[in-house]
């Protein structure tokens, strides 16, 4: 089976992108990370990608007056890379149909909660406020409704007494870094 060509979208730290890049170093992994794209020129993750000789590309959303025109520029670049899949990894942009339609079924995201619980931001704060005993993370297909596409895989993480948003998010992040490479491999293998 030919390894699937994957582009990763980031906006910041890029630790999940780094986990995907590290997993894909194994020649037996069913996907290769061919490019990392950021909507922010200062995203810290770009430095890591560069250090691993991954092609990086910045499309600054501030240079576009509408979501659609930004998505069109992003889509043009992604199409030019001949990709099979796109993995969002802390990509903080709401996508329009300009991007969603051409990539339907090929666009995945990681989210720090047990979806369908806690869609959107501040997931750890909200989970703690609700006093839940179990939190976690999910990888899902991206669809028009935010964080609502079909779930591909998820992992539960216990909430411990005395947890703060910081301690809980750190515990969840460790699991994100294991879950995302596994979920991407599943999706890549499914493509055949
Ligand atoms: C992660 O918690 C991810 O689940 C969420 O945003 C965070 C990004 O972190 N979508 P990083 O940039 O991958 O380090």
């Amino acid at each position: 089976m030919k390894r699937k060509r994957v582009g990763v979208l980031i906006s910041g730290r890029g630790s999940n992108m780094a986990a995907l890049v590290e997993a894909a170093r194994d020649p037996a992994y069913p996907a290769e990370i061919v490019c990392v794209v950021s909507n922010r020129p200062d995203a810290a993750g770009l430095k890591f990608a560069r250090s691993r000789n991954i092609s990086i590309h910045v499309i600054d959303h501030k240079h576009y007056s509408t979501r659609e025109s930004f998505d069109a520029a992003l889509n043009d670049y992604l199409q030019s890379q001949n990709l099979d899949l796109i993995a969002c990894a802390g990509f903080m942009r709401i996508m329009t149909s300009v991007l969603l339609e051409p990539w339907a079924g090929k666009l995945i995201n990681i989210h720090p909660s047990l979806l369908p619980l806690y869609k959107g931001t501040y997931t750890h704060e909200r989970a703690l406020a609700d006093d839940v005993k179990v939190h976690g993370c999910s990888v899902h297909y991206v669809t028009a409704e935010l964080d609502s596409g079909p779930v591909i895989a998820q992992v539960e993480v216990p909430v411990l007494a005395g947890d703060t948003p910081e301690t809980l998010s750190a515990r969840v992040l460790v699991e994100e870094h294991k879950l995302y490479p596994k979920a991407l491999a599943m999706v890549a293998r499914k493509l055949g």
Side-chain angles (χ1 to χ4, degrees):
M1 194 185 76
K2 208 166 155 284
R3 302 177 87 200
K4 298 296 173 282
R5 290 173 62 81
V6 177
V8 184
L9 306 185
I10 66 168
S11 296
R13 181 175 60 182
S15 69
N16 278 291
M17 172 271 294
L20 296 179
V21 167
E22 292 302 336
R25 285 175 60 189
D26 178 353
Y29 192 76
E32 57 178 321
I33 309 303
V34 299
C35 60
V36 171
V37 185
S38 173
N39 66 304
R40 298 183 59 113
D42 58 350
L46 290 171
K47 210 169 148 196
F48 172 87
R50 202 180 292 119
S51 77
R52 294 296 188 275
N53 287 321
I54 311 258
S55 159
I56 60 170
H57 192 73
V58 174
I59 303 178
D60 189 340
H61 64 274
K62 293 202 190 91
H63 297 164
Y64 298 85
S65 57
T66 62
R67 286 195 189 281
E68 285 78 9
S69 57
F70 169 78
D71 280 0
L74 181 52
N75 183 48
D76 283 350
Y77 177 76
L78 295 169
Q79 297 289 354
S80 77
Q81 298 301 295
N82 213 0
L83 302 174
D84 299 300
L85 286 167
I86 299 170
C88 300
F91 183 62
M92 303 302 283
R93 297 288 303 170
I94 290 170
M95 293 175 173
T96 68
S97 59
V98 172
L99 202 55
L100 294 170
E101 274 173 19
W103 295 99
K106 297 173 177 176
L107 187 52
I108 66 175
N109 179 46
I110 186 155
H111 183 76
S113 78
L114 291 175
L115 290 172
L117 298 174
Y118 308 116
K119 298 171 184 177
T121 52
Y122 298 104
T123 61
H124 310 301
E125 284 82 349
R126 288 188 283 146
L128 289 174
D130 287 348
D131 206 17
V132 295
K133 297 290 167 259
V134 180
H135 189 42
C137 50
S138 309
V139 175
H140 65 97
Y141 287 102
V142 179
T143 57
E145 207 184 324
L146 186 69
D147 299 328
S148 299
V151 170
I152 298 160
Q154 50 191 190
V155 168
E156 293 185 353
V157 174
V159 179
L160 304 181
D163 258 341
T164 63
E166 291 71 32
T167 59
L168 181 56
S169 72
R171 192 175 313 113
V172 171
L173 194 64
V174 170
E175 297 307 321
E176 291 185 43
H177 295 163
K178 295 185 223 162
L179 180 68
Y180 211 1
K182 279 188 205 157
L184 176 62
M186 274 170 54
V187 173
R189 287 197 186 98
K190 239 171 94 177
L191 287 182

